[in-house]
Amino acid sequence: MLEKISDQFSNIFRTLAGTRVITEKNITDAVEEIKIALLEADVNLRIVRRFINSTIEEAKGETVLKAVNPGQQFTKIVYDKLTDLLGDSRSKLELRGPDTVSVILMMGLQGSGKTTTAAKLAYRLTRNGRRVLLAAADLVRPAAVEQLRVMGKQAGVEVYAEDGEKDAVKVAKNALAYAKKQQFDTLIIDTAGRIHLDEVLMKEIAAVKKAVSPLEALFVADSMTGQQAVEIAKEFEEKVGMTGVVLTKFDSDARGGAAISLKTVTGKPLKFIGTGEKIENLEEFFPDRMASRILGMGDVVSLVEKAQEAIDQKEAEELEAKMAKAAFTLEDYLLQFQRVKKMGSVKNLLQMIPGAAGQIDEDKIDLDGMKKEEAMILSMTIQERRNHRIIGPSRKKRIALGSGTTVYDVNRLLNKFEKMRLMMKKVAKNKKYQENLLSQFEGRR
Amino acid sequence: MKLFGRNKQETTGSRESKGFRLFSLLSSSSLSDAFYTELEDLMVEGDMGVRLAVSVTEELKTRLKNEKTRDEAAARRILRDILRESLLTDSLRPDPDVLNIDLILGVNGVGKTTTIAKLAHFYAAEIGKEKIVLAAGDTFRAAAIDQLAVHGDRLGIRVVRHAPGADPGAVIYDAISSAKAKNSSLILADTAGRMHTKSHLIEELKKINKIIENKAAGCRLRKILVLDATTGQNSVSQAEIFHEAVGIDAVILTKYDSLSRGGNLFAVCRRFGLPIAFTGVGEGYEDLKPFDTEQFLDRFLGE
């Protein structure tokens, strides 16, 4: 895991973190690297250029040159600018009260994930107490109606469909009438995927939109989209018009530079991201997280903030000293678990680590294992926790019994812990490596 | 590696005009830095990826130097040569003497099921539709089986299917048995879209592959990866992981009618040696074209 963490950006910023003053020259170098990183994240070339030009102006300003820590100051300018660009106060759905039907229209290219997103959104809004009706207006792709029916069932939402009907406008109108009559307060209309250049289908979706006057017209875009994202979004915005964007397939390892392209071109807020195949895998959009992902630096800023909250300086120093002497005990180990808990779930934490997002497979994180280990340590006496070497066979049996595990598990924990202590001692002796790690983690130096 | 020599004014205008501008630049007597920047831009905007674009430019410079020429026609020819050398093709023609099994793979939403229908239509003209079997191996996505069944009905081609949620390996296994019994010559097997980052889905794919390989002794099994032309640099990552997992034989590029220029194919071909077989260019059954290198290069270079 650790080797994967050192992504490109972390490297750049680490290099910069070592210098106290940024010269114009090393801004230029970093800027060049940032351009490449943004392009590799699939941000549109012209947008990269525009963004970079304005960043250079800011970076050349006094704040950077006189800053206490130029490297971090520079990180912050890039990161803040991206966050500003992506952020939008309109990112919440604009729906009206229960006495009227709020219509949400989904649109996008084939395979961007409209049907899945429609169902996920229905599920989400239902859980927020809304009465949601899904309407199947994708009459082009074979079995699309059936797909929405199945997904509607998963979401526990009724699906309006007219089998055999070929006119999407008619279905949408009828669905709206049905929603009114049945007192639904929300209608989500799924539509056929269409290439932005297909005039007939673009006219159809514009007609659907006109017929039902949606409060939200959501453009569903694949987060893996490349340079063409700009042209695609432009066409949909000009020919149909949208109120917001949903980015799907965020469970890929794409850095999602399309988000920047889409936001810049349409000026419309990014509202949700799709993060998996399950019905609940639709999340709110956080501009700061997105900015770090595109930069390839994970949620480095929030990680730093959270870590600073959880570990105070003195504690950290004590821990360092213990590590150096291999005096790290099971008690300390337990403390680490509890800190991690304070920071939120391990999964969330991993997503925030630079380079770890998308690289680490959620399925491989042994959450149960962590719980088990915690239970075992909690079943130990304070003495045992402070000196694990006193734990013999009978103590092991007692610990296993107390924690609902087996002696084999206890042995495994003790072996693992012993190895960990050795490793820590090594790390602690290697000053350079340690400083690197700490400066990254705590924003020091 | 200096990518952006200067901070130029942002360029406007369509891609086409950019292509023309490129070669009007080529026609000027000396090939300046501006020319090379322009060239890199053209390739990056075609989704080639910035690092590859830079290295192609370097290669062009070297070759021009070696040939001691700065001539427009030479530069045009050499650039095209470099790009052409990266591209490999494969017609995917079925072997008439054995049972051919084409396993269609890819991430979610690239167009696997639609591509299978188009492939079936394409081969039906060649070997007869009664010789083709579709295997509904996407048992995961809601209504994916129905979608393939509708295509089968419309095309008059047999579909082997199980219930939703069934073991995809078993579906394809049955399709092979059925094809052998009925003397079919081609199985087009659908699979569920799987994100290459989900290790359990890749493991599942390996398992399916193993089942088929065991059952397909004496058959010609090919694994075909479907890539979406609108996808950016992630295509490379997809190709890498699928290729590593089961060994990909060829690539099909879908949604090529989006005007995306598919530059990510250069990296996919170059790094993994994978040939390209077809491009998908529309919603109709006939909208699947054998990959044409020269046409692809024309469009990539805006010629």
Side-chain angles (χ1 to χ4, degrees):
Chain A
M1 185 182 106
L2 269 172
E3 56 271 75
K4 282 191 178 167
I5 287 174
S6 56
D7 210 329
Q8 208 169 17
F9 255 83
S10 318
N11 283 335
I12 302 165
F13 292 129
R14 216 175 294 136
T15 320
L16 284 172
T19 36
R20 294 201 73 80
V21 181
I22 289 186
T23 64
E24 224 171 279
K25 164 97 178 63
N26 66 21
I27 296 177
T28 314
D29 287 348
V31 159
E32 200 67 19
E33 289 292 325
I34 287 169
K35 280 176 181 168
I36 291 170
L38 290 173
L39 288 172
E40 286 186 334
D42 289 321
V43 183
N44 181 277
L45 175 66
R46 288 175 234 180
I47 291 168
V48 169
R49 204 163 270 152
R50 206 182 305 161
F51 174 78
I52 289 304
N53 286 349
S54 60
T55 310
I56 291 169
E57 288 317 304
E58 281 185 48
K60 279 181 185 163
E62 286 179 58
T63 34
V64 172
L65 293 172
K66 285 182 184 167
V68 190
N69 187 331
Q72 282 176 354
Q73 191 64 37
F74 190 72
T75 313
K76 211 169 146 41
I77 290 178
V78 174
Y79 172 84
D80 286 352
K81 270 186 71 85
L82 273 185
T83 308
D84 276 357
L85 179 72
L86 291 166
D88 200 302
S89 54
R90 300 167 296 164
S91 66
K92 293 258 184 287
L93 283 182
E94 315 232 339
L95 302 178
R96 296 222 182 95
D99 50 330
T100 166
V101 183
S102 302
V103 179
I104 304 172
L105 180 67
M106 315 297 288
M107 58 180 156
L109 295 187
Q110 291 93 339
S112 57
K114 288 171 298 304
T115 308
T116 308
T117 304
K120 286 176 179 176
L121 194 55
Y123 175 78
R124 188 187 175 93
L125 293 174
T126 307
R127 285 174 53 116
N128 292 346
R130 299 192 70 94
R131 288 203 68 219
V132 184
L133 178 69
L134 276 166
D138 176 358
L139 310 172
V140 178
R141 184 164 58 97
V145 174
E146 187 53 31
Q147 185 187 351
L148 193 67
R149 275 205 188 104
V150 174
M151 297 212 68
K153 204 173 279 173
Q154 282 172 25
V157 171
E158 190 180 335
V159 175
Y160 179 89
E162 295 179 30
D163 290 300
E165 180 56 59
K166 291 271 166 245
D167 183 352
V169 179
K170 202 169 142 196
V171 171
K173 272 187 186 164
N174 292 347
L176 181 56
Y178 180 81
K180 280 179 182 156
K181 203 172 133 210
Q182 300 292 321
Q183 297 182 331
F184 285 96
D185 57 27
T186 314
L187 170 66
I188 302 176
I189 303 175
D190 183 28
T191 62
R194 58 204 81 223
I195 290 277
H196 55 295
L197 303 163
D198 185 326
E199 280 188 33
V200 177
L201 282 176
M202 289 302 275
K203 274 185 185 142
E204 183 208 65
I205 185 88
V208 170
K209 185 169 176 249
K210 204 169 163 224
V212 295
S213 334
L215 284 175
E216 291 281 2
L218 298 179
F219 178 63
V220 181
D222 186 330
S223 58
M224 300 183 282
T225 310
Q227 295 287 317
Q228 196 69 5
V230 163
E231 306 295 330
I232 297 167
K234 209 188 273 168
E235 289 292 317
F236 272 93
E237 174 64 9
E238 281 170 11
K239 302 232 163 90
V240 192
M242 59 183 84
T243 61
V245 177
V246 181
L247 276 169
T248 58
K249 303 183 203 170
F250 250 94
D251 45 339
S252 73
D253 52 355
R255 299 239 295 272
I260 294 179
S261 304
L262 293 171
K263 183 69 205 289
T264 310
V265 168
T266 65
K268 295 297 157 65
L270 296 146
K271 301 218 176 195
F272 293 103
I273 55 171
T275 56
E277 294 189 307
K278 297 198 186 89
I279 196 86
E280 67 270 18
N281 294 147
L282 185 73
E283 294 174 12
E284 266 169 64
F285 177 82
F286 291 106
D288 47 347
R289 287 188 197 164
M290 189 71 221
S292 9
R293 175 157 169 160
I294 290 170
L295 287 173
M297 53 193 249
D299 236 28
V300 80
V301 175
S302 11
L303 180 66
V304 167
E305 281 166 7
K306 282 196 179 187
Q308 272 167 348
E309 274 170 32
I311 307 174
D312 75 48
Q313 195 59 27
K314 208 173 151 225
E315 260 184 285
E317 273 164 20
E318 277 171 17
L319 193 65
E320 253 183 273
K322 277 185 177 172
M323 277 164 69
K325 286 185 289 179
F328 188 71
T329 66
L330 278 166
E331 211 170 15
D332 301 314
Y333 189 49
L334 183 66
L335 220 62
Q336 297 308 310
F337 279 151
Q338 283 154 357
R339 274 189 197 127
V340 168
K341 270 193 192 161
K342 255 200 255 177
M343 288 187 219
S345 82
V346 181
K347 274 187 197 171
N348 290 340
L349 196 69
L350 280 173
Q351 273 166 6
M352 287 190 289
I353 294 173
Q359 298 273 13
I360 294 172
D361 197 310
E362 280 184 18
D363 307 321
K364 281 191 181 156
I365 303 166
D366 187 10
L367 289 174
D368 292 340
M370 280 186 72
K371 272 186 211 149
K372 233 178 186 178
E373 287 185 351
E374 191 179 0
M376 284 187 270
I377 300 172
L378 286 170
S379 296
M380 294 174 191
T381 64
I382 300 293
Q383 248 187 332
E384 285 165 350
R385 286 182 211 174
R386 287 189 183 151
N387 183 9
H388 65 285
R389 293 208 169 92
I390 64 167
I391 301 174
S394 73
R395 284 179 195 257
K396 281 178 190 168
K397 223 182 259 174
R398 195 203 73 245
I399 293 165
L401 208 64
S403 57
T405 57
T406 62
V407 173
Y408 172 75
D409 289 325
V410 179
N411 278 328
R412 241 177 39 164
L413 168 67
L414 293 175
N415 285 337
K416 181 177 155 193
F417 179 70
E418 190 58 47
K419 267 189 209 145
M420 194 189 294
R421 264 163 55 108
L422 279 174
M423 196 189 79
M424 280 179 169
K425 197 174 172 184
K426 265 188 219 154
V427 171
K429 279 189 174 164
N430 186 343
K431 276 278 172 235
K432 208 175 153 204
Y433 177 71
Q434 194 192 339
E435 276 174 24
N436 234 334
L437 209 70
L438 281 170
S439 71
Q440 205 188 344
F441 207 68
E442 295 173 329
R444 295 200 320 195
R445 270 187 55 165
Chain B
M1 183 162 73
K2 197 80 179 156
L3 178 59
F4 299 84
R6 79 217 98 253
N7 298 307
K8 300 189 293 133
Q9 280 307 102
E10 195 202 326
T11 49
T12 47
S14 72
R15 188 183 325 97
E16 283 76 16
S17 70
K18 188 163 234 170
F20 288 124
R21 204 164 52 241
L22 167 65
F23 285 110
S24 63
L25 272 160
L26 269 170
S27 49
S28 64
S29 58
S30 85
L31 304 176
S32 62
D33 281 357
F35 158 71
Y36 289 113
T37 307
E38 199 76 36
L39 172 57
E40 277 163 3
D41 285 4
L42 180 80
M43 294 192 283
V44 168
E45 288 195 287
D47 287 315
M48 180 189 257
V50 59
R51 286 175 199 275
L52 187 53
V54 169
S55 91
V56 166
T57 310
E58 292 306 314
E59 211 171 320
L60 176 63
K61 283 180 189 167
T62 313
R63 290 205 200 175
L64 280 168
K65 209 167 153 193
N66 289 346
E67 295 195 11
K68 296 195 175 63
T69 179
R70 312 194 71 166
D71 162 78
E72 168 206 333
R76 188 180 303 201
R77 172 178 52 79
I78 292 167
L79 173 64
R80 219 179 152 97
D81 286 348
I82 295 169
L83 295 176
R84 190 187 294 108
E85 283 160 21
S86 306
L87 296 172
L88 307 162
T89 59
D90 184 336
S91 71
L92 279 184
R93 194 168 294 278
D95 182 337
D97 300 325
V98 294
L99 174 58
N100 297 273
I101 305 165
D102 288 356
L103 189 63
I104 311 298
L105 310 169
V107 301
N108 312 65
V110 289
K112 288 176 293 302
T113 309
T114 308
T115 298
I116 286 177
K118 290 176 181 176
L119 282 170
H121 176 79
F122 183 85
Y123 290 127
E126 212 165 301
I127 60 174
K129 56 188 174 189
E130 67 289 346
K131 290 282 188 188
I132 304 173
V133 181
L134 308 183
D138 181 358
T139 56
F140 178 80
R141 181 169 59 91
I145 300 172
D146 296 326
Q147 188 185 345
L148 194 67
V150 170
H151 284 308
D153 275 355
R154 288 184 189 166
L155 292 164
I157 289 172
R158 199 152 56 88
V159 179
V160 172
R161 57 186 287 182
H162 285 193
D167 176 5
V171 178
I172 300 167
Y173 188 96
D174 280 3
I176 298 173
S177 305
S178 162
K180 282 180 177 169
K182 296 192 174 163
N183 203 20
S184 307
S185 31
L186 174 65
I187 296 173
L188 295 166
D190 199 7
T191 60
R194 59 195 76 236
M195 229 13 120
H196 53 295
T197 47
K198 304 258 164 141
S199 67
H200 66 284
L201 292 179
I202 295 299
E203 287 306 315
E204 184 196 70
L205 178 62
K206 286 186 191 166
K207 212 184 100 197
I208 297 170
N209 186 45
K210 218 169 183 176
I211 293 171
I212 302 172
E213 276 179 346
N214 286 335
K215 177 75 177 171
C219 303
R220 184 183 187 213
L221 172 61
R222 289 175 304 191
K223 282 144 262 180
I224 298 162
L225 180 68
V226 180
L227 294 175
D228 182 334
T230 63
T231 302
Q233 295 312 298
N234 201 251
S235 294
V236 182
S237 168
Q238 291 169 22
E240 181 176 15
I241 292 170
F242 277 96
H243 190 47
E244 206 172 85
V246 293
I248 298 298
D249 296 291
V251 168
I252 292 178
L253 187 72
T254 57
K255 302 182 208 173
Y256 191 51
D257 51 332
S258 64
L259 280 193
S260 289
R261 285 181 285 149
N264 42 37
L265 284 186
F266 291 107
V268 168
C269 288
R270 226 162 138 128
R271 279 186 54 188
F272 313 112
L274 300 178
I276 313 143
F278 291 96
T279 51
V281 293
E283 301 238 284
Y285 287 128
E286 65 287 351
D287 293 329
L288 184 75
K289 307 290 177 207
F291 185 77
D292 182 325
T293 306
E294 297 310 319
Q295 271 178 22
F296 182 83
L297 289 174
D298 282 347
R299 195 162 121 188
F300 186 74
L301 292 169
E303 284 179 355

